[in-house]
């Protein structure tokens, strides 16, 4: 259902650009150039979406027998360190980052790069289209006569400037509503990529912060404390999470080297816990 909603919103955004933006361009050459460039970008984004959605991010140990440092009891297979069993997909994902309901697939090492490209491109396109929509709306208010003439020339049937304004406002709100969560997610992934962490590392860092009583944004909000800006909170938490991540890898490496048998992947451990 979530994947259907995401595709519906995306194709609505595309249809709105073809219906509201491109026809208003008066010069034929400029209109054709914008249409070609936008169509190419839309095809590229849509193709990337299906690449992310259809790529199988499963651990290689699930397809053919392999010796890995961890054994997953649910998959009945040895998996690589960093793999996590996703309960939604019912399989271990190599380099697990998170399960994305909007593409109906797990994001892991095999499809993280196209996922980040998809996220960055969609944010750029939505921001640009929302800005163009707002700019055209302001033009309708400031230069009503000229916009009325352009609308009469652009559309076979007469479209009143106020109707065009309403359509622009609705379209801009749809773009802005889609941009807000995507932009927030993009910013988080930029910060995590700079730290060399995954979304799952960040989730586990938050869990450990809560268990150890460390002040994070959620606990501070509940207790009424003031810990500075959200950027400072995220920066501090990620610093602490990075140290925990490195310590965890060292401990895991030392424990695996001290034992000849691969540790079992339990349901309540880091490999099988659901976000």
């Amino acid at each position: 259902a979530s994947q259907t909603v995401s595709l519906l919103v995306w194709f609505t955004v595309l249809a709105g650009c073809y219906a509201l933006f491109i026809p208003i361009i008066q010069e034929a050459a400029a209109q054709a150039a914008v249409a070609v460039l936008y169509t190419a970008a839309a095809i590229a984004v849509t193709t990337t979406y299906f690449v992310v959605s259809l790529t199988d991010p499963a651990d290689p140990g699930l397809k053919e027998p392999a010796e890995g440092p961890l054994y997953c009891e649910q998959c009945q297979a040895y998996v690589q360190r960093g793999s996590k069993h996703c309960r939604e997909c019912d399989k271990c994902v190599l380099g697990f980052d998170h399960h994305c309901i909007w593409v109906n697939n797990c994001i892991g090492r095999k499809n993280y790069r196209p996922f980040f490209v998809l996220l960055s491109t969609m944010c750029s396109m939505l921001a640009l289209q929302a800005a163009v929509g707002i700019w055209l709306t302001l033009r309708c208010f400031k230069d009503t006569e000229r916009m009325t003439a352009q609308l009469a020339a652009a559309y076979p049937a007469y479209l009143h400037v106020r109707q065009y304004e309403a359509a622009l406002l609705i379209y801009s709100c749809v773009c802005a509503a889609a941009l807000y969560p995507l932009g927030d997610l993009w910013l988080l992934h930029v910060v995590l990529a700079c730290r060399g962490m995954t979304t799952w590392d960040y989730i586990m860092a938050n869990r450990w912060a809560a268990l150890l009583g460390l002040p994070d944004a959620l606990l501070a909000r509940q207790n009424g404390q003031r810990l500075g800006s959200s950027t400072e909170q995220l920066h501090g938490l990620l610093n602490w999470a990075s140290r925990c991540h490195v310590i965890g890898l060292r401990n895991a490496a030392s424990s695996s080297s001290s034992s000849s048998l691969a540790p079992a992947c339990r349901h309540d451990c880091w490999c099988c816990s659901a976000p």
Side-chain angles (χ1 to χ4, degrees):
S2 299
Q3 186 178 23
T4 303
V5 171
S6 65
L7 289 173
L8 181 62
V9 172
W10 172 241
F11 286 115
T12 300
V13 169
L14 296 182
C17 182
Y18 286 111
L20 299 175
F21 293 168
I22 295 178
I24 206 68
I25 302 175
Q26 292 182 326
E27 296 80 5
Q31 186 182 74
V34 171
V36 170
L37 291 175
Y38 187 79
T39 302
I43 292 175
V45 171
T46 306
T47 302
T48 307
Y49 176 91
F50 284 106
V51 168
V52 175
S53 179
L54 299 177
T55 298
D56 185 7
D59 189 284
L62 304 185
K63 298 181 179 179
E64 56 185 21
E67 293 186 0
L70 296 174
Y71 182 79
C72 180
E73 295 179 350
Q74 292 182 333
C75 295
Q76 297 294 306
Y78 287 91
V79 297
Q80 300 298 315
R81 190 170 302 282
S83 293
K84 175 191 173 297
H85 191 90
C86 175
R87 294 179 180 177
E88 295 291 334
C89 299
D90 194 25
K91 60 186 175 183
C92 281
V93 176
L94 180 64
F96 179 83
D97 188 87
H98 70 284
H99 181 86
C100 181
I101 61 175
W102 306 111
V103 299
N104 194 30
N105 196 11
C106 273
I107 306 301
R109 188 178 302 171
K110 295 181 181 179
N111 60 353
Y112 182 82
R113 288 187 178 181
F115 167 77
F116 187 78
V117 171
L118 173 67
L119 192 61
S120 303
T121 309
M122 289 191 69
C123 287
S124 301
M125 292 183 67
L126 288 171
L128 179 61
Q129 291 173 215
V132 172
I134 295 173
W135 175 68
L136 287 175
T137 303
L138 294 176
R139 279 196 60 192
C140 289
F141 280 105
K142 294 182 177 180
D143 197 356
T144 304
E145 295 182 359
R146 185 176 179 180
M147 286 298 298
T148 301
Q150 289 183 359
L151 290 174
Y155 297 94
Y158 179 73
L159 181 65
H160 195 272
V161 66
R162 300 309 172 201
Q163 297 174 340
Y164 186 68
E165 286 177 4
L168 285 175
L169 285 175
I170 295 174
Y171 181 75
S172 299
C173 289
V174 171
C175 291
L179 177 62
Y180 178 75
L182 288 177
D184 185 63
L185 181 62
W186 176 82
L187 180 60
L188 175 63
H189 278 278
V190 169
V191 176
L192 293 178
C194 293
R195 296 286 178 181
M197 298 174 62
T198 65
T199 303
W200 181 245
D201 294 331
Y202 178 66
I203 292 173
M204 294 305 295
N206 273 290
R207 288 185 179 181
W208 281 106
L211 290 174
L212 297 177
L214 296 178
D216 59 30
L218 177 61
L219 295 178
R221 189 175 298 112
Q222 291 177 349
N223 298 332
Q225 302 173 6
R226 296 185 61 182
L227 298 176
S229 64
S230 58
T231 304
E232 293 174 350
Q233 296 170 14
L234 180 61
H235 179 75
L237 181 58
L238 287 177
N239 273 330
W240 179 83
S242 299
R243 293 195 297 271
C244 290
H245 183 56
V246 173
I247 294 173
L249 289 178
R250 290 176 179 172
N251 293 338
S254 61
S255 62
S256 62
S257 61
S258 62
S259 176
S260 59
L261 297 177
C265 176
R266 303 181 185 276
H267 295 278
D268 58 348
C269 70
W270 65 272
C271 182
C272 289
S273 299

